[in-house]
Every structure is written in structure tokens, then in C-alpha cells.
Amino acid sequence: MKQKLLVISMDATVHEDVAYLETLPNFQKILGKRAEVERVKSVYPAVTYPAHSTLMTGCTPGKHGIYNNEPFKTFDDGYKHWYLDSKWIRVEDLFAAAKRAGCTTASVYWPITGNNPNIDYIINEYFFLQPGDKDIEGAFKRMGANEEALKAVRENAHRIHRNPRWPVLVPDSNYDDFLMGCTCSLIRNVQPDVMLVHNSFPDSCRHRYGTFGEEVKIALDAIDMWLGKVIEALEDAGVYEQTNFVLLSDHGQMDLKRRVKMNALLARGGFIDVAVDGSLYSWRAYAQGNAMSASVYLLDPANKALYDEVYAYLQKIVDEKVWGFTKVYTTEEVKEKYGTYGPFSFMVATDGATAVSEDWKEPPLAEVDLEDYTLARATHGYEPELGPQPIFLAHGPAFKDGAVLPNAELIDIAPTLAKVLGQELPQADGRCLTELLK
């Protein structure tokens, strides 16, 4: 029978978690015979949507076009304008390779897969309704869910978390319980050959409780429970033995001590004007937060005098050693070092303990914000050499039992998975990790 490929992204799971995962009953079934990478270098900024776009394309953020979770904007209309539709991805992805291999495909909550023409069964990631969405089923349909995908949604609708602000962090009351249920339904109902799944529970726990808070084990225990359900579904479908399991993650996290309002500093420098009522009146430079970094946009990036003025001001902020910023990258510098580029002019790194808020109101420094998941007790978005590193664990007929690589990069994952399907991704920046394959 044709081999299957099941990829489960366990968001923000890190190498230090593996020892605990090895003690859990369902992970033991997978990890007892495995190939692995001990340290996987993420992208910059190390945030979810750029990282997952890299995981399914093998390309750096500049090439695939996703360098933040959201498009740049300077207004707040009450909605989260995250990248949802696959039209934003500028390069070929793993699903296209799977189609060349004659595979059926599925995506459950994998970022930026909406309306992807190469995915047969799409349940696109949703943590919030968008303008025009009247109900969750309609939202999934608008993003490409066909009748079989909607059937999986209906079968698990009772699991959908009802409070979209902060999840109640127990296994049966969050979006992950819903999406893992949908995963099992699709396995039983349609047996897709290639399926990518994104589980955010470890990320949520780390944001809320700290990088190595004891509560993180709640998430790892829950994933073990869900993994057991997935294995059961594969056995029911008669495809367990030919399934290649890949358990991976996108980034780590580091503990926060404070947050800094970069736009408040830009206002102090005369680059942002704030109205009497506290609203944004006008701007010449504006920072988009990437958690522990920021991308700085210029209203007129061709204006060399403005460019030089903002660059000098950002360097001054770094040199003051007060605000938690450690380096100013120009677009050329961050492109050369990390392959990240876009319409921003600068990227500013923090010290691994400071998160960037987009607020422009005084004072510039503030305590961590437990109401905002990106600015709670831990977060990411820092330079990828820092902090705990993501994982890559693989088990199945395509992988060498016991093969270990000490280091690899996120850009290497998609070419490796394409090779499992007998395909290549010609646009990928990474390499195939042939050392892990039979």
C-alpha cells in the first residue's frame, strides 16, 4: 500500500521537552523507533505564520512572503487580520509536491492554507471570525472546506472552545481538542495520503505560564492523549503501519520581563503624531511588533533623509541600553543573515526578555500583559539562535530508526518531506536531510 505522511506541528515544543515526551504512553509508540534532529534553527522573526510557511515550502520568509502573522496596518478595527488565504504564499508548497505524487491531501489548522488548490480537505486555522463571517461553518467553507471537511467540523463542533480571548487551558476546552477531533474524523472518513496538522496548546501554555512552567506538561499530556486518538483512528482506517509520523515545531519561547512600546519611542522622536484623544493622527515611521522584535516601516521608504534620520534614532535607542533593544538590522542585513525581507526598512532585535507592543501611548515601558498572549509570561519572535530550539521527530517506513542529526534548519524540513513522497521542491532554500531517510 502507498505510504502515508502525517505531520503534526506541536507549536513551541522544544528539545528540552523530549525527555518528558518519552515517558508518555502514546509518544512512546512513536519515539521508541525514530529519526530526529536535536536542534532545529527557526526563521527570523521566530513567529508562527512565517515559521509554518517555511515548514511547508522550505523557503525563507523573504522568498515565501510571510514575515509576520498579520499584514502591516496602523489601525485597529476590532478584527485580527491574520494571513489566512494561501494566495499570500508566493512559492510552491508541499501540497503541490504531494499532488505531483498522486496523493490525496488534507490540512487541519495548518496556517495559511485557506483555498489552497492542492489541498483536498481543508479546515483552515480559525481562532476568530473575520468580517462577513456569520458562523464558524461558513467561515471554514469560505476558506475552502468541502463537504467532507465540513462533515468533520460538524462531527466535532461540540468541542469548539467558546471563549476566543484566552483558552481555558484544559484538554477538553480549547481549539486543539476540536482540531484533533477533526483530524481523527478525516482519517476515518477519507484516509488522506498527506495530512498537515497544527496544534497550538504548548504555545498557549508557555505564553501563559512561562517557558518551563510546570503547567506546560498539561499541554504535553493532552497531546499524548490526542496522539492516542489519532493512532486509534489510523488503526480503524487500516493505515497505521504505512503511516510516516512527523512530530515537529516552529519555534521555542523565552521568558518575558517587560514590554516596550516602540511606537511610543517613535512618537518621542517626532515620527508619530498622536491626537488629543490618544488616537494615531499621522506617522512617518511605524513599528509592527513581532513579539521579541519589531519591523519598522517608513511612510516614504524612498526618502533617504527620512531613512537616515530613523536609522540614527533607532541606533540611539539601542545605544541607550534602557529599552531592551540590542541591534538594528537594515533590510539588506536581515536578508543576508536570515533570508527575511519585505517592505519594511529596519528590523530591531530585543534582548530575549523584552517584547514589543505596537502601542504608541506613554510611558514606553510596561509590565507584561497577561491579557495579550504575545506579551504574557513568555513569547518568541527573537533571533533564532537564541533560546530553546524546535524539534523534528520522525517515525515510519521512510525513516531510519536511530538516525540523529545534531543540527538542521526549518528550511530543510519541506525538502525532506517532499523526498518521502518521491518529489522535490525546486524553489526551496533548504536541503533534504537524507541522513534521516532509508
Side-chain angles (χ1 to χ4, degrees):
M1 292 182 67
K2 181 188 294 185
Q3 291 184 17
K4 306 281 188 178
L5 176 62
L6 174 61
V7 181
I8 301 178
S9 169
M10 305 184 299
D11 199 303
T13 301
V14 295
H15 179 69
E16 289 83 346
D17 296 325
V18 174
Y20 182 71
L21 296 179
E22 290 176 319
T23 70
L24 302 177
N26 295 303
F27 275 105
Q28 286 178 349
K29 298 175 184 178
I30 306 301
L31 302 186
K33 293 184 177 181
R34 72 178 188 260
E36 70 176 300
V37 179
E38 292 182 327
R39 293 175 64 85
V40 181
K41 181 182 175 183
S42 189
V43 297
Y44 189 50
V47 289
T48 297
Y49 278 29
H52 278 83
S53 299
T54 292
L55 281 167
M56 69 175 172
T57 65
C59 295
T60 58
K63 184 182 281 190
H64 62 57
I66 306 299
Y67 30 82
N68 190 282
N69 289 341
E70 299 181 65
F72 173 69
K73 60 182 177 64
T74 60
F75 60 88
D76 182 2
D77 60 1
Y79 289 99
K80 292 286 188 181
H81 293 270
W82 287 37
Y83 292 107
L84 297 175
D85 197 290
S86 62
K87 68 182 181 182
W88 294 105
I89 305 291
R90 297 198 295 237
V91 296
E92 186 180 67
D93 62 25
L94 184 65
F95 295 106
K99 278 299 168 188
R100 288 200 302 272
C103 296
T104 58
T105 55
S107 170
V108 181
Y109 268 56
W110 194 275
I112 323 185
T113 53
N115 296 308
N116 188 316
N118 293 306
I119 304 177
D120 298 308
Y121 312 103
I122 305 172
I123 302 176
N124 197 49
E125 183 161 89
Y126 271 102
F127 298 116
F128 34 75
L129 295 178
Q130 296 297 296
D133 290 339
K134 295 181 179 179
D135 57 71
I136 196 72
E137 187 172 318
F140 286 127
K141 187 174 182 179
R142 185 170 62 84
M143 282 290 114
N146 61 12
E147 187 54 38
E148 285 292 349
L150 292 176
K151 178 182 176 183
V153 169
R154 295 183 197 110
E155 289 176 356
N156 297 279
H158 62 285
R159 302 170 184 246
I160 294 177
H161 175 57
R162 302 301 178 186
N163 178 3
R165 188 158 182 79
W166 257 109
V168 179
L169 297 185
V170 294
D172 61 353
S173 184
N174 59 72
Y175 289 106
D176 301 283
D177 188 54
F178 164 70
L179 71 91
M180 296 307 293
C182 290
T183 299
C184 293
S185 290
L186 286 175
I187 290 171
R188 287 191 171 93
N189 297 342
V190 297
Q191 297 92 49
D193 298 321
V194 176
M195 177 182 279
L196 273 60
V197 181
H198 176 218
N199 185 301
S200 298
F201 204 12
D203 186 66
S204 297
C205 282
R206 290 202 142 101
H207 279 306
R208 192 167 195 178
Y209 299 118
T211 306
F212 293 111
E214 189 66 21
E215 295 87 349
V216 173
K217 291 180 180 178
I218 296 172
L220 302 180
D221 289 342
I223 294 179
D224 184 72
M225 178 267 293
W226 290 317
L227 184 59
K229 300 291 186 184
V230 168
I231 291 172
E232 183 180 314
L234 291 166
E235 290 173 338
D236 290 346
V239 296
Y240 175 71
E241 294 299 329
Q242 61 263 34
T243 296
N244 289 296
F245 287 86
V246 175
L247 307 174
L248 49 74
S249 59
D250 50 353
H251 53 69
Q253 288 199 27
M254 296 174 71
D255 286 347
L256 274 174
K257 294 181 179 177
R258 60 183 179 174
R259 58 191 174 101
V260 62
K261 304 173 187 176
M262 170 59 92
N263 288 319
L265 293 173
L266 289 173
R268 284 188 176 186
F271 302 104
I272 289 177
D273 295 318
V274 181
V276 174
D277 64 359
S279 63
L280 181 69
Y281 179 73
S282 65
W283 64 279
R284 295 189 297 145
Y286 189 94
Q288 181 182 34
N290 309 314
M292 283 191 183
S293 63
S295 303
V296 179
Y297 291 75
L298 302 183
L299 184 63
D300 182 5
N303 184 330
K304 188 177 185 305
L306 175 62
Y307 181 98
D308 292 343
E309 186 182 1
V310 173
Y311 185 54
Y313 184 71
L314 295 175
Q315 289 285 13
K316 174 178 175 289
I317 288 173
V318 170
D319 293 341
E320 287 174 344
K321 300 185 185 303
V322 172
W323 313 106
F325 294 109
T326 58
K327 184 173 178 59
V328 181
Y329 289 102
T330 65
T331 303
E332 293 76 16
E333 288 170 337
V334 79
K335 178 180 180 179
E336 180 179 356
K337 187 171 183 179
Y338 297 115
T340 299
Y341 53 92
F344 52 87
S345 296
F346 309 102
M347 189 169 285
V348 187
T350 72
D351 54 9
T354 304
V356 181
S357 163
E358 293 185 24
D359 193 359
W360 51 77
K361 300 179 183 65
E362 291 282 343
L365 285 178
E367 299 297 321
V368 296
D369 183 1
L370 298 183
E371 291 299 312
D372 183 340
Y373 78 94
T374 63
L375 304 173
R377 290 192 171 92
T379 196
H380 39 93
Y382 43 78
E383 294 159 299
E385 298 87 354
L386 303 178
Q389 300 292 302
I391 63 167
F392 180 87
L393 307 165
H395 163 92
F399 292 95
K400 291 180 184 176
D401 176 23
V404 179
L405 280 175
N407 296 284
E409 299 189 38
L410 235 58
I411 55 174
D412 302 327
I413 304 305
T416 304
L417 300 182
K419 188 68 173 179
V420 171
L421 304 176
Q423 299 294 314
E424 295 181 353
L425 289 171
Q427 292 174 287
D429 296 306
R431 72 176 186 92
C432 174
L433 304 175
T434 54
E435 302 93 324
L436 304 181
L437 301 177
K438 290 181 179 176

